[in-house]
Amino acid sequence: MQVMSTGPQTIQKAEGESVTLGCRYTPSPSDTGELDIEWSAVSPDTTQKDQMLLSYTGGTKYVHGNHALAKGLSFAAPDPSTGDASLSISLLSPAQSATYQCKVKKSPGVDTRKVSLMVMAKPSVPKCWVEGGEMVGEPVSLHCKSARGSTPLTYRWRRESAGPIPAPATQNSATGELKISNHSQSFAGIYLCEVNNAVGAEHCRINLKANKPPNRAAVIVGTVVGSLLLIFILLVFIGLLYWKLSSRHRYEKEFSNEIREDAPAPESRPASRRTNRSASQHRQVSYCQVDGTEVSSFSDGCTHIASSNSHGDTPVKYSAVEYDSKYGYAV
């Protein structure tokens, strides 16, 4: 019995793809026993038994177990007894990365073949971005990063427009960085970053500009003018606030003066009020001397005719005593 195959001993495949592990055999004329074919996953630990996956015995196919390694397994040939015992695996997953062994036995002959299978994830579409201001004369760097993919991932930058990348630029294939220490117009253009591994590749593009630096003198002048304008606005605000407060204070002062001018005169003393009321309510009192006796009268005056012992009959008239509101009655 001789197992032979022209396929590679190590196979790398992308996740989700299909693969065929070759195992062709040729029995010798002396091999007259029953044909027995086995596919198993070799244990990395030599102290552990290999895991049986698929077998063919007595014209019947058998799938062993329902674990992750056994999913999607089948013989590539409809009849493995015709000399083709190759194994077919569909919809590969990373869990199916292993070393597989094909064993063909037909007594007294027996032979084996091992194949290593690596199931890898393709790189995802990378993200491209620029670090730096893209100003002429300043350092700038282009970055490229793929979020998913089996390692090792390799990055490569190239310029799609304006020719190849100038020599002073350096790139790191492991990190995906393209570094330009002194940016100039000669570096401007559309750049493409490609990331790849053993099972796939993806890319992204970015447009690198070369902007002229701003006029520093104009920036300084603009800053000074802006500062002066701000100070002027603050002074105007302070002046308006001061004028507002001064006008309010002057208005309050004038208003208080008007209130004092319109206020009524203070009332007279209680005694004076009683005296005035008495004077206005009562008639004037007159005092007349009658035969040596003082008599009061409410008339405007009094007339006295002398008694019989007087020297004449001419009547004597006495005037009424006036009341003065300031000094009272005259004495």
Side-chain angles (χ1 to χ4, degrees):
M1 177 66 67
Q2 182 180 7
V3 174
M4 54 187 177
S5 182
T6 58
Q9 292 294 108
T10 300
I11 300 176
Q12 294 176 329
K13 281 291 183 176
E15 182 180 3
E17 293 183 347
S18 300
V19 67
T20 298
L21 307 182
C23 182
R24 291 183 176 273
Y25 64 93
T26 303
S28 67
S30 60
D31 297 334
T32 59
E34 185 178 6
L35 180 64
D36 186 14
I37 302 173
E38 295 179 355
W39 275 100
S40 60
V42 179
S43 175
D45 187 354
T46 56
T47 63
Q48 301 293 325
K49 292 178 63 175
D50 295 343
Q51 188 172 11
M52 183 72 72
L53 301 175
L54 188 67
S55 65
Y56 177 85
T57 303
T60 304
K61 303 173 186 177
Y62 298 93
V63 177
H64 301 271
N66 57 359
H67 45 77
L69 286 172
K71 291 181 178 180
L73 300 183
S74 65
F75 284 104
D79 185 5
S81 63
T82 60
D84 187 4
S86 299
L87 177 67
S88 176
I89 308 175
S90 61
L91 296 176
L92 289 168
S93 67
Q96 291 175 311
S97 295
T99 299
Y100 294 83
Q101 176 178 271
C102 174
K103 182 179 180 180
V104 181
K105 182 173 66 173
K106 191 174 184 180
S107 298
V110 59
D111 199 6
T112 61
R113 181 177 188 264
K114 292 181 180 180
V115 180
S116 293
L117 174 64
M118 295 181 61
V119 181
M120 306 175 67
K122 292 181 179 180
S124 60
V125 177
K127 177 184 178 182
C128 293
W129 73 95
V130 180
E131 283 189 0
E134 299 181 77
M135 295 294 178
V136 173
E138 296 183 359
V140 64
S141 59
L142 304 181
H143 291 267
C144 179
K145 190 67 176 178
S146 183
R148 185 175 179 273
S150 299
T151 57
L153 295 174
T154 303
Y155 297 89
R156 179 176 174 270
W157 282 98
R158 61 185 176 87
R159 188 163 62 167
E160 292 188 322
S161 62
I165 302 174
T170 59
Q171 58 178 305
N172 189 323
S173 61
T175 62
E177 179 184 13
L178 175 66
K179 185 179 293 185
I180 302 171
S181 57
N182 186 14
H183 191 31
S184 65
Q185 188 65 39
S186 63
F187 288 99
I190 298 175
Y191 286 74
L192 181 142
C193 173
E194 183 178 73
V195 55
N196 62 75
N197 60 8
V199 295
E202 287 291 350
H203 62 271
C204 62
R205 290 180 176 85
I206 192 169
N207 185 16
L208 178 63
K209 301 176 182 179
N211 301 322
K212 293 182 179 180
N215 191 337
R216 299 186 182 275
V219 173
I220 294 174
V221 171
T223 303
V224 172
V225 171
S227 301
L228 293 176
L229 181 61
L230 179 61
I231 293 173
F232 174 75
I233 293 174
L234 289 175
L235 291 176
V236 170
F237 176 75
I238 293 173
L240 290 174
L241 182 62
Y242 177 78
W243 175 80
K244 184 71 175 178
L245 293 176
S246 299
S247 300
R248 181 176 180 180
H249 179 71
R250 183 168 57 253
Y251 172 77
E252 290 177 351
K253 186 175 181 180
E254 292 176 355
F255 185 71
S256 61
N257 290 337
E258 291 176 359
I259 291 176
R260 285 197 296 268
E261 291 176 358
D262 296 340
E267 297 181 355
S268 58
R269 292 173 297 183
S272 300
R273 291 200 300 269
R274 288 196 300 270
T275 305
N276 292 339
R277 285 198 298 270
S278 299
S280 61
Q281 294 174 0
H282 302 285
R283 299 171 58 187
Q284 293 181 348
V285 181
S286 301
Y287 296 90
C288 301
Q289 189 75 24
V290 181
D291 295 332
T293 303
E294 190 179 69
V295 180
S296 62
S297 173
F298 289 99
S299 61
D300 293 337
C302 57
T303 304
H304 173 67
I305 302 175
S307 60
S308 58
N309 56 356
S310 302
H311 296 286
D313 295 332
T314 305
V316 180
K317 186 176 182 179
Y318 299 94
S319 61
V321 180
E322 299 288 341
Y323 175 80
D324 188 280
S325 61
K326 183 176 181 180
Y327 297 105
Y329 292 101
V331 181

